[in-house]
Amino acid sequence: MLAIVGAAALLVITAAGTCTALVLTRAHDDVLVLALDDVRAGNARLVPLSRFGADEAGRTHGLWVVRAAEGPVAALLTVDPHSGCRVEWRADGEFAGISPILRDPCTGSIYDAAGIRLFGPAPRGLDRFPATVDRERDAITIELSRRQAGPPSSGAGNRPAPAGD
């Protein structure tokens, strides 16, 4: 009998520890910290995060962390708001004189480096998360718990797509 009570107590303690670890991990997972050097100025880095699922092609969604040559860092969800496909960074891509771009390979929606819709059937720009640069720690902090819908599209985004893009 004593062995059963001891085993039950051990099970309860283990379960409580596991639940506590899950809560702490979940709270910790709401903030993503990247080294500033991981995202070069004027470029983007893909950060796959399984919490956002995958597209029909099986590509894991996540964030495009875009660091402008001068100015702010953008943390853009890779999910196209129309097709659900993962948008791709096109460093050499151009649309209406704007480069680089993000492009949905499924429907052709095109976004600028800030995630603003330039062309295509998407109803708005890419969803985003607050990102801050801490120069003292040389880090980029992204708040994953504060997802913001992409900016609404203007009528200017209905230009024809350039051939071959």
Side-chain angles (χ1 to χ4, degrees):
M1 180 71 160
L2 188 56
I4 293 172
V5 171
L10 182 60
L11 182 61
V12 168
I13 290 170
T14 303
T18 301
C19 289
T20 301
L22 286 174
V23 169
L24 292 175
T25 301
R26 195 170 294 135
H28 184 266
D29 286 346
D30 284 341
V31 175
L32 176 67
V33 179
L34 300 172
L36 191 56
D37 291 341
D38 286 350
V39 186
R40 294 179 311 167
N43 212 334
R45 176 179 175 202
L46 175 63
V47 180
L49 295 169
S50 60
R51 74 189 292 163
F52 299 117
D55 67 8
E56 288 183 8
R59 296 174 295 193
T60 302
H61 285 301
L63 302 176
W64 279 110
V65 181
V66 181
R67 184 174 168 201
E70 297 290 327
V73 170
L76 306 170
L77 188 61
T78 62
V79 180
D80 181 85
H82 177 71
S83 70
C85 289
R86 188 175 82 183
V87 297
E88 297 297 333
W89 176 257
R90 305 275 303 269
D92 59 347
E94 181 180 324
F95 181 79
I98 298 171
S99 181
I101 58 171
L102 293 139
R103 187 169 192 271
D104 171 15
C106 298
T107 63
S109 289
I110 299 172
Y111 306 88
D112 69 9
I116 296 170
R117 179 189 158 276
L118 301 173
F119 169 81
R124 64 177 191 279
L126 298 173
D127 290 356
R128 65 230 23 250
F129 298 86
T132 55
V133 174
D134 182 341
R135 298 229 181 258
E136 286 183 22
R137 292 184 352 173
D138 288 325
I140 299 168
T141 303
I142 301 166
E143 297 178 48
L144 299 175
S145 63
R146 296 187 46 213
R147 181 175 174 169
Q148 302 164 348
S153 293
S154 68
N158 295 317
R159 299 175 224 146
D165 195 16

